[in-house]
């Protein structure tokens, strides 16, 4: 691939962690994100678009205060990566079953008022998605080949059902968000302190060991900074009138995440 050198991680890492593996069904909304179709009918997502969206979304999230970002994942394989991602950037996480009314009913103890919602799968996180729409929140979502993009303001095309895929995507998001936060403060990020991934593709099984997880999270916490007041790109408007976002992120080098 001619553009491999511009990717956040080598193209082979995306492939070996099944980030580009879609489903055997394709929605009309996702047609623009499809790269090719395998002989067995499986749709493959465009890795270049996935990589570009990770950069764009990281820049977008950096425009919000971290405590006002909410990460949601009902899928089993997305719960641990989503929780670690939220911990790393200082955001809120709601993993597992989403309690109805958490975004709309102030009486509940689980009630929160985020400024933006990030969902792991729009289909599995429908309850959170509906409440965010009713509240006028901008919504970012990891979307697979069969997902509908209705109510999703910023889409990240990737395999949102695979364990290793979600681990890699959330790692990359965390790395880019944290580096972007450092850049906004005017300080030059020291990438060497976080370290580089092994030459081979990062496997979820290896990175899920407690020792490595603790080490990674500790390194990521050192990158966390207090952001300035967010510059909102999505305004709170009725459904159908909310702005779609188009960002032009800077090119930054990054590693993988569990």
């Amino acid at each position: 691939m001619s553009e491999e050198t511009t990717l956040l991680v080598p193209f082979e890492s995306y492939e070996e962690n099944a980030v580009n593996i879609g489903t055997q069904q394709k929605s009309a909304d996702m047609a623009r994100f499809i790269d090719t179709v395998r002989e067995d009918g499986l749709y493959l997502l465009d890795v270049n678009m996935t990589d570009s969206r990770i950069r764009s979304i990281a820049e977008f999230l950096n425009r919000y205060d971290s405590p006002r970002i909410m990460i949601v994942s009902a899928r089993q394989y997305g719960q641990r990566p989503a929780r670690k991602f939220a911990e790393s950037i200082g955001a809120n996480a709601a993993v597992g079953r989403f309690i109805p009314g958490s975004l709309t009913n102030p009486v509940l103890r689980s009630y929160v008022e985020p400024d933006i919602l990030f969902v792991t799968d729009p289909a599995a996180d429908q309850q959170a998605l509906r409440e965010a729409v009713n509240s006028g929140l901008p919504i970012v979502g990891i979307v697979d080949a069969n997902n509908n993009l209705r109510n999703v303001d910023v889409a990240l095309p990737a395999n949102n059902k695979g364990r290793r895929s979600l681990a890699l995507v959330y790692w990359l998001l965390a790395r880019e968000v944290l580096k972007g936060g450092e850049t906004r403060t005017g300080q030059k990020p020291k990438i060497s302190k976080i370290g580089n991934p092994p030459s081979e593709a990062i496997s979820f099984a290896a990175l899920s060991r407690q020792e490595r997880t603790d080490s990674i999270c500790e390194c990521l916490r050192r990158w966390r900074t207090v952001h300035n007041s967010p510059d909102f790109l999505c305004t709170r408007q009725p459904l159908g009138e909310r702005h779609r976002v188009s960002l032009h992120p800077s090119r930054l080098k990054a590693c993988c995440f569990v």
Side-chain angles (χ1 to χ4, degrees), residues 1-170:
M1 175 178 288
S2 60
E3 300 182 5
E4 182 175 346
T5 56
T6 69
L7 299 178
L8 296 174
V9 291
F11 179 78
E12 290 76 13
S13 295
Y14 282 115
E15 280 194 325
E16 292 176 15
N17 288 279
V19 174
N20 65 327
I21 300 298
T23 62
Q24 291 185 328
Q25 296 82 35
K26 177 191 69 174
S27 68
D29 294 338
M30 292 296 296
R32 53 181 167 163
F33 298 120
I34 302 299
D35 182 32
T36 185
V37 184
R38 291 198 324 197
E39 295 181 356
D40 57 0
L42 201 64
Y43 289 96
L44 301 181
L45 300 170
D46 189 338
V47 169
N48 289 293
M49 297 195 72
T50 299
D51 189 272
S52 175
R53 287 301 178 98
I54 290 175
R55 302 169 193 251
S56 300
I57 290 171
E59 182 177 336
F60 182 44
L61 293 178
N62 268 325
R63 297 176 180 270
Y64 293 84
D65 287 328
S66 295
R68 307 288 290 181
I69 300 174
M70 187 170 189
I71 315 297
V72 176
S73 178
R75 284 197 174 277
Q76 179 182 0
Y77 289 153
Q79 293 177 18
R80 179 181 175 85
R83 183 171 58 251
K84 292 299 182 181
F85 171 58
E87 291 176 359
S88 299
I89 68 173
N92 292 317
V95 298
R97 180 178 178 271
F98 186 84
I99 300 176
S102 294
L103 299 179
T104 56
N105 188 354
V107 177
L108 298 178
R109 291 194 299 175
S110 61
Y111 177 72
V112 291
E113 292 183 291
D115 288 329
I116 184 171
L117 182 73
F118 190 109
V119 297
T120 303
D121 184 350
D125 301 318
Q126 286 185 9
Q127 181 64 36
L129 197 69
R130 283 194 296 266
E131 295 188 16
V133 169
N134 293 334
S135 301
L137 299 178
I139 300 168
V140 180
I142 303 176
V143 292
D144 211 332
N146 64 339
N147 279 126
N148 191 315
L149 298 186
R150 181 184 181 185
N151 299 329
V152 177
D153 295 297
V154 186
L156 198 172
N159 177 0
N160 58 18
K161 302 172 181 63
R163 181 172 59 180
R164 295 195 303 173
S165 171
L166 289 171
L168 179 57
V169 168
Y170 272 117

Side-chain angles (χ1 to χ4, degrees), residues 191-232:
I191 307 301
S192 59
K193 285 189 176 182
I194 290 185
N196 297 317
S199 57
E200 67 274 6
I202 305 298
S203 68
F204 184 93
L207 289 176
S208 63
R209 296 173 182 174
Q210 190 63 42
E211 298 81 10
R212 181 168 296 184
T213 298
D214 294 341
S215 175
I216 289 172
C217 291
E218 181 60 31
C219 289
L220 288 171
R221 290 191 189 100
R222 289 201 294 266
W223 279 91
R224 183 170 177 263
T225 59
V226 178
H227 301 302
N228 298 325
S229 299
D231 178 18
F232 292 95

Side-chain angles (χ1 to χ4, degrees), residues 237-257:
Q237 298 180 355
L239 178 62
E241 298 181 4
R242 287 179 293 155
H243 293 223
R244 292 298 184 261
V245 180
S246 177
L247 300 174
H248 301 280
S250 59
R251 293 171 55 185
L252 297 173
K253 183 179 178 182
C255 296
C256 313
F257 172 60

